[in-house]
């Protein structure tokens, strides 16, 4: 059982700056590259590039406001990411349980043969 994972989505989320941007948009509501750059140690131009990546994978939506765009988190796509993460986590939990059982069986056999 392997969960279908959107590699582009996870590549976008994998960057710490982009995760921080998502946190800021979730906690503070919609924002522009300028408003986000006030809270992050990167240039406004870097923020704009990160926003482009997040927009491309659908995690945020842009709406023009004057000369800038106002970005907000797309709740549906974020929920999709959370669901994928939970499924991957469950798969790894199952794998780790199998590894534990194998290790315990080996240990039991060694103890019985000693």
């Amino acid at each position: 059982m392997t969960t279908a994972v959107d590699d582009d989505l996870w590549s976008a989320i994998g960057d710490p700056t982009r995760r921080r941007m998502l946190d800021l948009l979730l906690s503070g509501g919609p924002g522009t590259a300028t408003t986000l750059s006030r809270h992050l140690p990167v240039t406004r131009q870097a923020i704009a590039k990160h926003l482009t990546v997040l927009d491309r994978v659908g995690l945020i939506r842009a709406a023009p406001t004057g000369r800038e765009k106002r970005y907000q988190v797309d709740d549906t796509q974020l929920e999709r990411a959370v669901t994928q993460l939970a499924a991957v986590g469950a798969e790894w939990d199952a794998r780790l349980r199998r590894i534990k059982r194998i290790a315990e069986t080996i240990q039991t056999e060694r103890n019985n043969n000693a």
Side-chain angles (χ1 to χ4, degrees):
M1 165 174 123
T2 301
T3 302
V5 174
D6 183 336
D7 290 332
D8 291 336
L9 176 69
W10 289 103
S11 178
I13 294 173
D15 182 89
T17 300
R18 290 193 282 267
R19 283 195 308 272
R20 179 71 179 120
M21 292 169 66
L22 287 170
D23 288 342
L24 289 168
L25 291 170
L26 285 167
S27 65
T32 64
T34 301
T35 59
L36 290 169
S37 68
R38 293 182 192 137
H39 302 282
L40 296 163
V42 294
T43 65
R44 186 197 171 286
Q45 290 77 13
I47 295 293
K49 288 180 181 181
H50 285 296
L51 288 167
T52 298
V53 172
L54 292 170
D55 188 35
R56 188 176 63 237
V57 298
L59 283 168
I60 60 172
R61 291 182 309 230
T65 54
R67 295 187 325 212
E68 286 198 286
K69 293 180 182 178
R70 183 167 295 281
Y71 296 89
Q72 68 180 37
V73 173
D74 183 314
D75 294 333
T76 302
Q77 187 72 335
L78 183 62
E79 181 59 35
R80 182 173 159 247
V82 169
T83 301
Q84 282 185 18
L85 181 59
V88 169
E91 286 179 17
W92 274 102
D93 287 345
R95 288 178 183 138
L96 292 172
R97 283 191 300 274
R98 285 193 301 272
I99 291 169
K100 180 180 179 191
R101 281 193 306 269
I102 291 167
E104 288 171 344
T105 300
I106 291 169
Q107 186 62 42
T108 301
E109 288 173 3
R110 285 184 181 165
N111 289 343
N112 290 339
N113 292 332

